[in-house]
Amino acid sequence: MQHSPRFLALIEATRGRVEETDVHQIKGWQDEGRHFHLIDIREESEWARGHLPGARYLGKGIIERDIEVNYPDLDTPLYLYCGGGFRSILAADTLRQMGYRHVISVDGGFRGWLDAGYPVES
């Protein structure tokens, strides 16, 4: 997908404030049986076509509104992913501004997961 220059500049300006991991780390933790909160922030139609195993849906359009109901503890580690890792950076930064202390964006997102050949749920 071709992104606009201003959008890419926003991502780069925000990236420094957000912790990131990658899809391989997430898969490794799943294989180990590690418990963590994985949140898909893509559009509902994207979620319906497939998502990472064990993920929960809280789309970017509603995450700020619904996060406290679902995760009231500000110390809960939250791993956010989107299609490629850009929207999750923005959402992670917003949650950080809301007081969440352990919000991590998954670099590569759903496309990176698929490219690695990892399984998806639908």
Side-chain angles (χ1 to χ4, degrees):
M1 171 177 251
Q2 187 77 9
H3 295 296
S4 70
R6 287 189 180 112
F7 177 71
L8 294 174
L10 176 62
I11 296 301
E12 289 311 310
T14 306
R15 188 180 299 265
R17 297 189 301 262
V18 173
E19 187 177 343
E20 292 183 274
T21 191
D22 62 29
V23 296
H24 308 294
Q25 184 68 63
I26 296 297
K27 178 68 165 101
W29 290 340
Q30 287 180 339
D31 291 347
E32 293 169 4
R34 180 175 170 174
H35 175 73
F36 58 97
H37 301 284
L38 183 61
I39 303 172
D40 187 324
I41 67 152
R42 299 174 302 149
E43 298 293 325
E44 196 168 0
S45 60
E46 293 174 289
W47 163 267
R49 289 191 302 267
H51 49 272
L52 276 60
R56 180 173 191 175
Y57 175 75
L58 274 176
K60 189 169 181 314
I62 62 167
I63 193 168
E64 297 87 356
R65 183 194 71 199
D66 294 351
I67 194 69
E68 289 181 81
V69 173
N70 292 281
Y71 303 99
D73 183 352
L74 297 176
D75 286 316
T76 301
L78 303 171
Y79 294 86
L80 311 182
Y81 76 91
C82 60
F86 290 165
R87 290 175 286 176
S88 58
I89 286 174
L90 298 175
D93 188 52
T94 300
L95 294 186
R96 185 191 58 77
Q97 291 175 51
M98 290 176 68
Y100 285 87
R101 291 180 272 280
H102 305 287
V103 184
I104 297 93
S105 174
V106 180
D107 187 38
F110 189 70
R111 284 189 300 279
W113 187 268
L114 289 177
D115 290 347
Y118 298 146
V120 297
E121 293 179 343
S122 55

